Amino acid sequence: MAKACARHILVKTKEQAEKLKLQLAKGADFATLAKKHSLCNSAKRGGDLGEFSPGTMLKAFDNVVFKKPLLTVHGPVKTKFGFHLIETIYRT
């Protein structure tokens, strides 16, 4: 069974997600931004969601984690929770 490890930053607006993505592109630390801005409980772990299987997360989220390039920040990805910036650390 495939598994992946990912981290994310969840915010309310697309604009906020895009601003954070720009900061990341300029070298800002993902975990620091997650702790400061993310609305998810994973914020205290720097946005780390740990390891999970396909179907655990929402489809839009899974599509990024299991199909897009690794170690690249993708998004903003819209879900019912808000807008995510997602980085997949590894897949097995």
Side-chain angles (χ1 to χ4, degrees), residues 60-81:
F61 205 94
D62 267 5
N63 283 344
V64 171
V65 172
F66 291 97
K67 295 178 182 164
K68 302 272 187 186
L70 296 172
L71 302 174
T72 304
V73 178
H74 299 283
V77 176
K78 188 180 190 323
T79 69
K80 65 183 179 184
F81 299 110

Side-chain angles (χ1 to χ4, degrees), residues 24-67:
L24 291 167
K26 291 177 184 167
D29 181 64
F30 194 103
T32 303
L33 290 182
K35 284 177 184 167
K36 191 171 177 186
H37 299 282
S38 185
L39 304 173
C40 180
N41 288 337
S42 68
K44 59 184 175 285
R45 296 186 304 276
D48 187 358
L49 295 166
E51 193 174 84
F52 54 92
S53 303
T56 308
M57 304 292 178
L58 296 168
K59 187 161 179 49
F61 205 94
D62 267 5
N63 283 344
V64 171
V65 172
F66 291 97
K67 295 178 182 164

